[in-house]
């Protein structure tokens, strides 16, 4: 379009239809610039030479092909294209001066075109480098997120081991005690506890075992430590230094699976850690809302008292992965009043055991 407008709206130089056909040929050649950048540049320069001979030079496609060479050309292709383009312009300068054109006019005109040619090539080259850098950063971020997800899955696998180990140990001790010393009523109550513990353990297996896989090393894991849960929230809050924290519990708190309870605990723990690191000693509210089917956990802090530093985002990635693995969802973001909120919704109803 730029070539056609410059031809139709400019001075009547050369056969119009021939010039339009050559400009159209340049346009079709540029269509292939991504796959054949050097070939396209050579074809465009050849057609531009025809326009120069017809005294209807345009240089639009010539500059576009130079930019495409910088963007898509291989290093060798770029060196060859630059050499050919600058040599052609130098030859044109010699022919113009030899043909009687004023020396200064010919040198200034062709030097300007050469500078534009190199400038468009550099623009394409810088754009290609920027896009390559963006792809590298995206790949690096994806790798970081993948590693964080694997780490969380490994932690959850070890925590599942803790939960099942604790449950099975409890069942064995209950059954042994009932068999040795228990009366009939005590034996009945013990068997009910064993059955309840077994159902909860099977529910944990159904919930987590299908999505967990073996990954990181467990050398730093102590199998004797039972993962913390909702019953330790107050102790967690009291141990956090600095910000005043209010804990609010709403609804009827019924039985919650150990994996759900521990996921809620970790969400609160990580959120409070982020408040201390990024917001400072500001007022914070921890809300636990219980319904028949869901547990809603919310950690909200007031406006930050310091300039927040750049975070890695790994804490939110880990929380989101942990919550999703137990069938929940997590959202996090700034509030209209300038504060920040992390909210997780977790299921509380266990899968019943049919066996």
């Amino acid at each position: 379009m730029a070539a056609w407008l410059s031809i139709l709206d400019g001075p009547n130089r050369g056969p119009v239809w021939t010039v339009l056909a050559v400009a159209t040929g340049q346009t079709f050649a540029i269509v292939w610039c991504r796959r054949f950048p050097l070939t396209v540049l050579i074809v465009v320069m050849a057609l531009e030479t025809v326009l120069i001979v017809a005294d209807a030079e345009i240089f639009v496609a010539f500059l576009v092909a130079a930019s495409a060479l910088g963007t898509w050309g291989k290093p060798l292709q770029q060196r060859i294209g630059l050499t050919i383009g600058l040599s052609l312009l130098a030859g044109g300068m010699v022919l113009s001066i030899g043909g009687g054109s004023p020396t200064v006019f010919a040198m200034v005109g062709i030097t300007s075109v050469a500078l534009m040619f190199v400038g468009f090539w550099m623009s394409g080259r810088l754009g290609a480098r920027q896009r390559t850098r963006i792809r590298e950063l995206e790949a690096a971020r994806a790798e970081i997120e993948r590693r964080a997800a694997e780490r969380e899955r490994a932690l959850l696998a070890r925590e599942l081991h803790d939960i099942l180990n604790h449950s099975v140990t409890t069942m064995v001790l209950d059954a042994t005690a009932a068999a040795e010393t228990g009366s009939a009523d005590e034996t009945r109550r013990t068997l009910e506890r064993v059955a309840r513990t077994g159902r909860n353990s099977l529910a944990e297996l159904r919930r987590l075992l299908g999505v967990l896989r073996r990954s990181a090393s467990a050398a730093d894991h102590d199998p004797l430590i039972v993962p913390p849960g909702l019953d330790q929230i107050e102790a967690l809050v009291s141990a956090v230094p600095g910000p005043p924290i209010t804990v609010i519990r709403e609804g009827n708190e019924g039985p919650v699976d150990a994996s759900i309870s521990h996921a809620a605990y970790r969400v609160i723990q990580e959120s409070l850690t982020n408040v201390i690191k990024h917001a400072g000693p500001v007022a914070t509210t921890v809300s636990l809302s219980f319904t028949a089917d869901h547990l809603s956990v919310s950690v909200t802090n007031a406006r930050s008292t310091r300039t927040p530093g750049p975070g890695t985002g790994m804490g939110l990635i880990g929380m989101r992965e942990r919550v999703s693995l137990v069938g929940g969802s997590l959202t996090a973001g700034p509030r209209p009043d300038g504060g920040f909120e992390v909210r997780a919704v977790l299921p509380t109803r266990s899968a019943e055991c049919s066996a």
Side-chain angles (χ1 to χ4, degrees):
M1 290 300 297
W4 285 6
L5 291 175
S6 65
I7 294 170
L8 297 176
D9 197 38
N12 187 11
R13 298 179 296 177
V16 176
W17 290 109
T18 301
V19 174
L20 287 175
V22 173
T24 303
Q26 289 181 324
T27 301
F28 282 111
I30 289 174
V31 172
W32 300 93
C33 65
R34 180 176 294 193
R35 294 186 61 185
F36 310 106
L38 179 59
T39 303
V40 168
L41 177 64
I42 294 173
V43 171
V44 168
M45 286 192 296
L47 294 176
E48 190 67 34
T49 302
V50 175
L51 294 176
I52 294 174
V53 172
D55 196 24
E57 62 275 1
I58 303 173
F59 293 118
V60 176
F62 177 59
L63 298 178
V64 172
S67 177
L69 178 67
T71 302
W72 308 110
K74 298 178 180 179
L76 179 60
Q77 291 177 330
Q78 295 188 32
R79 289 194 290 270
I80 294 174
L82 285 174
T83 301
I84 294 175
L86 295 176
S87 300
L88 182 63
L89 292 173
M93 180 185 298
V94 173
L95 291 176
S96 297
I97 295 174
S101 298
T103 302
V104 175
F105 178 80
M107 292 183 63
V108 171
I110 294 181
T111 300
S112 300
V113 175
L115 290 175
M116 287 191 292
F117 172 71
V118 175
F120 271 77
W121 170 80
M122 291 181 61
S123 175
R125 185 63 181 160
L126 291 175
R129 288 181 178 178
Q130 184 178 15
R131 284 189 288 272
T132 300
R133 180 58 177 164
I134 290 174
R135 287 194 294 268
E136 290 175 351
L137 292 175
E138 290 176 348
R141 179 173 179 81
E143 178 65 17
I144 291 174
E145 292 181 354
R146 184 188 65 81
R147 290 181 180 179
E150 286 185 352
R151 180 176 179 275
E152 284 301 319
R153 288 174 183 269
L155 290 174
L156 284 173
R158 295 198 296 267
E159 290 162 6
L160 178 60
H161 172 270
D162 292 342
I163 294 169
L164 294 180
N165 182 56
H166 177 72
S167 299
V168 172
T169 301
T170 302
M171 294 165 62
V172 171
L173 292 176
D174 275 344
T176 301
E180 292 179 352
T181 61
S183 63
D185 292 339
E186 290 176 348
T187 300
R188 185 179 298 107
R189 288 193 296 269
T190 299
L191 291 176
E192 290 175 354
R193 286 198 305 272
V194 169
R196 184 167 57 252
T197 303
R199 284 194 295 267
N200 291 338
S201 299
L202 287 175
E204 293 297 322
L205 282 173
R206 288 176 174 175
R207 189 190 307 277
L208 297 178
L209 197 56
V211 294
L212 295 176
R213 64 177 181 269
R214 185 178 304 170
S215 58
S217 171
D220 58 345
H221 173 62
D222 185 357
L224 299 179
I225 298 178
V226 178
L230 293 175
D231 56 341
Q232 300 184 36
I233 297 299
E234 282 72 13
L236 170 66
V237 169
S238 63
V240 175
I245 303 174
T246 303
V247 179
I248 301 175
R249 293 178 180 259
E250 300 176 345
N252 296 323
E253 182 174 351
V256 178
D257 286 346
S259 62
I260 302 298
S261 178
H262 184 56
Y265 180 93
R266 292 303 187 196
V267 168
I268 296 173
Q269 183 183 47
E270 182 66 28
S271 299
L272 293 178
T273 301
N274 289 339
V275 171
I276 297 171
K277 290 172 56 178
H278 302 296
V282 298
T284 305
T285 302
V286 177
S287 299
L288 300 170
S289 179
F290 296 87
T291 64
D293 298 324
H294 294 91
L295 164 62
S296 178
V297 179
S298 173
V299 180
T300 306
N301 63 270
R303 181 188 296 271
S304 174
T305 60
R306 64 178 66 160
T307 301
T312 63
M314 292 302 101
L316 289 177
I317 294 173
M319 283 193 289
R320 189 170 285 111
E321 179 72 13
R322 181 185 294 274
V323 170
S324 66
L325 285 178
V326 294
S329 62
L330 183 138
T331 58
R335 292 166 51 86
D337 59 2
F340 197 87
E341 180 180 22
V342 176
R343 177 177 294 274
V345 179
L346 305 165
T348 57
R349 178 169 294 177
S350 303
E352 292 297 332
C353 176
S354 59

